[in-house]
Amino acid sequence: MESSLIELLVLAGIAVFLILRLKSVLGTREGFEKTSVEPSETRPVTRNFEVIEGQPDPDIVHYVVENSDEAKALAEMKRTESSFSVAEFVQGARGAYEMILMSFETGELDGIKPFLADDIFQSFVDAVAAREDQGLRIEAEFIGMRETHVVGATFDAETGLAEITLKFVAELTSVVLDQNGETVEGDPKAVKRQKDTWTFAREMGRDDPNWQLVATDA
């Protein structure tokens, strides 16, 4: 009897040890939490690409066709500014897209002004003002990014001006409400797909690392 009790105590001790070990590795979830990356989303990973003499640059050909005009423009950007990485740019552009899109949806534009060309910022201000004049507001939630593609790139060697155009496909919920909180358009539970083509620009070689949104084509 005493031997059986000792065995049970030993097994119980082993079980407690295993539970604590799993919690330290897996962490603990309480209730429902959204995953930081949607199942359909592939988050870009910044890599230290090594370019072999005479071989295509993997940091470029991962995003555009080898020897295309876009590839040549991206290569010129990298030659002008050695720290420039296409992978890092795309990752930053994805974050900028979410920030700018949601700021426009909610009408909170002050925080994104440094990232917009003057004419783009003014068009956003006018659109938000027109919405407010009608007593309308938008409630929106960004669900996740589905796709990001580099669809254009140009570089002016004389001015150092670089422009990169990306196509974004994202998912979000959005509903338009009137001043009484009644739904005018949309469904807060319906996930919609948002497609945009945006162009970002920057003068390479300058201390300011920020790119600006200079054109939009939804």
Side-chain angles (χ1 to χ4, degrees):
M1 181 70 177
E2 184 177 347
S3 175
S4 298
L5 179 59
I6 292 174
E7 290 178 1
L8 286 174
L9 290 174
V10 171
L11 290 173
I14 293 173
V16 170
F17 173 80
L18 289 174
I19 290 172
L20 292 174
R21 184 66 175 170
L22 283 171
K23 289 181 69 176
S24 69
V25 174
L26 301 175
T28 302
R29 287 200 171 205
E30 297 179 359
F32 175 80
E33 297 178 15
K34 288 185 178 179
T35 56
S36 59
V37 180
E38 297 298 314
S40 59
E41 175 187 351
T42 302
R43 188 176 294 276
V45 179
T46 301
R47 301 179 177 86
N48 293 321
F49 294 101
E50 181 179 353
V51 181
I52 302 174
E53 189 70 28
Q55 297 296 318
D57 184 346
D59 185 41
I60 294 177
V61 298
H62 180 74
Y63 295 97
V64 298
V65 176
E66 182 182 354
N67 294 324
S68 63
D69 290 341
E70 291 79 13
K72 293 174 183 176
L74 293 172
E76 286 296 324
M77 294 177 201
K78 299 188 73 167
R79 277 191 284 270
T80 301
E81 189 172 294
S82 60
S83 61
F84 173 66
S85 162
V86 182
E88 289 180 356
F89 166 80
V90 172
Q91 186 170 359
R94 289 163 64 96
Y97 174 80
E98 178 181 351
M99 177 181 66
I100 294 171
L101 177 64
M102 297 312 294
S103 295
F104 175 74
E105 291 283 298
T106 59
E108 300 172 354
L109 303 179
D110 289 343
I112 62 172
K113 185 175 181 179
F115 307 104
L116 307 180
D118 291 342
D119 58 334
I120 298 295
F121 180 73
Q122 189 58 52
S123 68
F124 280 21
V125 169
D126 293 343
V128 170
R131 198 162 66 203
E132 292 176 347
D133 288 344
Q134 299 177 60
L136 304 176
R137 61 185 176 87
I138 295 178
E139 290 185 355
E141 180 182 3
F142 192 86
I143 303 301
M145 189 74 73
R146 297 283 296 186
E147 301 173 25
T148 309
H149 302 289
V150 176
V151 295
T154 61
F155 181 72
D156 188 326
E158 292 186 3
T159 63
L161 181 63
E163 292 192 354
I164 303 178
T165 302
L166 300 100
K167 178 181 179 181
F168 300 100
V169 181
E171 290 183 341
L172 67 152
T173 60
S174 179
V175 59
V176 181
L177 305 174
D178 64 17
Q179 56 191 356
N180 298 317
E182 298 294 329
T183 299
V184 175
E185 181 182 340
D187 182 345
K189 297 181 180 180
V191 176
K192 70 174 185 177
R193 188 163 293 187
Q194 176 86 12
K195 298 180 181 180
D196 292 289
T197 301
W198 288 5
T199 300
F200 297 89
R202 175 175 173 261
E203 287 186 28
M204 307 297 289
R206 294 186 59 185
D207 292 336
D208 185 358
N210 291 324
W211 292 72
Q212 281 194 328
L213 177 62
V214 297
T216 63
D217 182 16

